[in-house]
Amino acid sequence: MKYLVFFIYLCLEKCIGDIIVGALFDKHRGKIDTHSIAALKYAVESINNETAENEPKLVYKIMNIEENNPFQAMKKTCELLEEGVIAIFGPQNLKNFEAIQSVCDAKEIPVIQTRWNAKSRRGSTVINNYPHPDVLSKAYLDFIKVWNWKRFIVLYDNDESLLRLKEILKLTLDRSYTIIIRRLDQYNTGIYRTILREIADSDLTNIFIDTRIDLLQELLQQSQQMGLMNKRYNYFINNLDTHILDFWNLKYSQTNITSIRIINNVRNSKEATEALCVKVEEDELYSECYLRTAYSLIIDGVMMIQKTIKDMKDVPNFGTKKLSCSSTDSWEYGLSFMNLMRTKSFEGMTGFNKFDNAGYRSAFLMEVVELQETGMIKVGTWTAGGGYNLARMGINTSTTDQGESLANMNFTVQITLTKPFGFLTESPNILVGNERYEGFAIDLIKALAEMEHFNYTFVLREDNDNGSKDSSGRWSGMLGELINKTTDLAITDLTINSQRAEAVDFTSPFMNLGIAILFQKPKEAEPNFFSFADPFAFDTWAGLFVTFLVVSFSMYFLGRLSPSEWTNPYPCIQEPEYLINQFTLANSFWFSTGCLMQQGSEIAPIATATRMIGTMWMFLILILVASYTANLAAFLATENPEKLFTDVTSLVENADSKNIRYGAKKNGATYNFFKHSKNPTYQKIFEHMRSHPEDMVKENSDGVKLAMETQYALFMENTGIDYEIQRHCNLVMYGDLLDNKGYGIAMRKHSPYRSRLSSAILKLQSTGLMDNLKRKWWQEKRGGGQCVAEDTQAATPLGMKNVEGVFVVTIEGLAIGLSIVLIEKYINISRMSKQSGISFWNMLKHEMKCYVDFENMSKPVLRGAEEENEEEYQEYSK
Ligand code: GLU
């Protein structure tokens, strides 16, 4: 009977008995670690829920020990061993843990450690499922490298931190790094302000924090009080528990706070978090719901035990054993159990749990989280093999597309004193802050701020350097400041070009422009000796001369043809022997000349045709003389400017011969336009600019001065030219625009504010406010409108195009005259043939014979009876 009871007892313990998992958790400041207890209970219960009826269930045996009390820890371990535990979850306190470990080493009972421990070594019974210290150290180093921190400060709170940071500390040997290391609060006063003030006074903006989670909230709060929580500062917190902190007061500070965590999908671990929360509520009357890494590791540890038990249950005679510390006994399956546990790989709360050959958890995935307005958001991952993979998965792209709200944001806006974008306000009073500046850019920012409700502070860039890239790829000027995060926005005559757009972001252009030439107004030319000829262009003069010849010859030839022009030389003789014609060649020319000079002549045409020609000629002269007189008046009244060049090509061609210097603003967008242009003329200009540095100006205003005083042509953007020619009346713009581009407000690359600012600019343009601002600063303020736009239209000679109509009318007159003559001649010959009885053809022959006898200006008259006359004709024609 005694043996039967013993057998039943053994069977209960060894065959079907529940498996006890022990745990020793430290109290913290007298309070028991309810969260660890809750985590263990939660893990055991959830595993049991999934275990089949005939499978052994897990039970937990938890004991609480005082902090830093190794003696008590050993004692409690022995008590647990006497219960027959299969494994023990160790406490966070290292001294306690070491005491437990020493007992368990002797008894070959696995101890599970869930905290960072640099000293954990292979060969002991400890199974540490916290990421391996060396791998973590590498993750920190990777961060420094990926974020390219060359100058940073490390804040740590205890000696353990230094072990964690050993890889980073090695960087101090590298001269390219400036690393300042400060212990936060050696004497546990909870006041970190001295160190924080030191940071605020320095120019360091990158801060690496290694502290316990319970100090972190206070540290961040004090940093905010010290002004270290704004977009200038970048923080990296290596604590894996930042997800349990509340960052509500830092969310809108725009501080770059990055951290890492091993609990994958914290949000998916809701159930566990709630379980932990409920347990606390039961104990304490308020709820503290959070899932620290240590608690997740307890849950994963229980899973690991359960998975190992499943594998061990097929081992013959496998069972737990009650052990006594006073004996030398140990658990015979202990080492096998432990080794099997180390081979387990499974997906747990902290991602994929897997141990390397050395028994460490060296392959794990961490999530990279960043503080955003919605909290700590996952922006990438880190793995030991692949390093950081920052896909910024957490960023909601739809929000970025629409642009982030600018409401209540504080922007530092960099400006320059480039006319008319920025001026110092003229006032008898001493002005401070933004009041000190006025100008187009200032008004524009003001309008945008009113629309988008943001605050701004102007920062003046005194050297007016908009920014250019040097040979080493570094940006100078305003763009350099933007990239270095000294300012947030830059506004001036900042031209958008592709090179700049690669380095910074621009809003949509608020003004369009192109490059043109600013040069002195052309001077009045010396009076010309032949200036009387100026009113008509050469072709008009030529046309007039040709028409004069045509008219004169027409008078001569048609005059001879026209019967009416043959007149009786002796009017008292009724029937003259011969007739004479007044239109000799000389008389014809004289007639035309008389008409041309508007003086008339003694010669008066008689025939319809000659009168027709004469009339048309006089009409032509009338119109031409009137045009000549009017245009001559215009020529006399207007200055005749002498342009040294007319456009960019003629400037380049004539620069040397006419002694003209030319250049542009050094390293400005205009200079860069020529530098990168493929056009041969522009390349020549760039070559000139490069080889004549003395012709390049530091600021456009220097170039304007040069242009006013010397023969200097300044390549400048037409917006600037418009401004200057309103105020300097001896300057004028030459040629057309060489290109077409715009001015934009610049900000750092990938800025979330770009689209909001761009749409605000478009709104200002559509409401007409932009035009009003332009009118105000270009035409009205600061000497605008001084130079009344002169009617610079110089008198131009009248070309054939202007007067061709009147020439055509004259030629048509000639043609009509010719037709009339022919009709008249026909009628006349017919009549004469009838009267004289000479046949028509004979009469025509006679007439033509007389006509071609050009030497004779007289012709005989044929008369008498038909036969007689025929004879007479025959005789005459002989
Ligand atoms: N707007 C130019 C720039 O952004 C400066 C003036 C110029 O180059 O003509 O650099």
Side-chain angles (χ1 to χ4, degrees), residues 556-557 560-561 566 825 844-859:
Y556 174 60
F557 290 118
R560 283 179 70 82
L561 203 59
W566 293 97
K825 193 75 192 163
L844 180 64
K845 248 196 249 169
H846 165 74
E847 280 297 311
M848 290 325 288
K849 208 169 161 194
C850 295
Y851 183 75
V852 294
D853 184 10
F854 288 110
E855 276 171 22
N856 232 331
M857 288 310 288
S858 60
K859 65 170 182 185

Side-chain angles (χ1 to χ4, degrees), residues 600-620:
S601 60
E602 287 297 299
I603 299 137
I606 301 162
T608 318
T610 45
R611 281 184 178 170
M612 180 79 188
I613 297 168
T615 311
M616 283 304 139
W617 174 237
M618 283 178 207
F619 172 69
L620 176 85

Side-chain angles (χ1 to χ4, degrees), residues 489-558:
L489 301 174
I491 181 168
T492 182
D493 62 336
L494 199 54
T495 311
I496 305 171
N497 60 28
S498 57
Q499 202 191 26
R500 286 175 173 172
E502 275 170 23
V504 293
D505 275 351
F506 283 98
T507 56
S508 25
F510 57 80
M511 202 176 276
N512 292 318
L513 59 121
I515 299 170
I517 308 168
L518 180 74
F519 192 66
Q520 286 178 356
K521 265 189 187 160
K523 302 212 170 62
E524 200 186 332
E526 286 285 300
N528 186 348
F529 187 73
F530 289 106
S531 53
F532 65 85
D534 288 346
F536 285 159
F538 175 78
D539 53 354
T540 311
W541 284 121
L544 181 62
F545 179 67
V546 171
T547 317
F548 170 73
L549 293 181
V550 171
V551 167
S552 303
F553 280 112
S554 302
M555 290 305 273
Y556 174 60
F557 290 118
L558 297 194

Side-chain angles (χ1 to χ4, degrees), residues 466 493-495 500 665 668-670 700 717 743:
N466 292 2
D493 62 336
L494 199 54
T495 311
R500 286 175 173 172
K665 180 179 168 172
T670 304
N700 276 336
E717 286 156 348
Y743 291 143

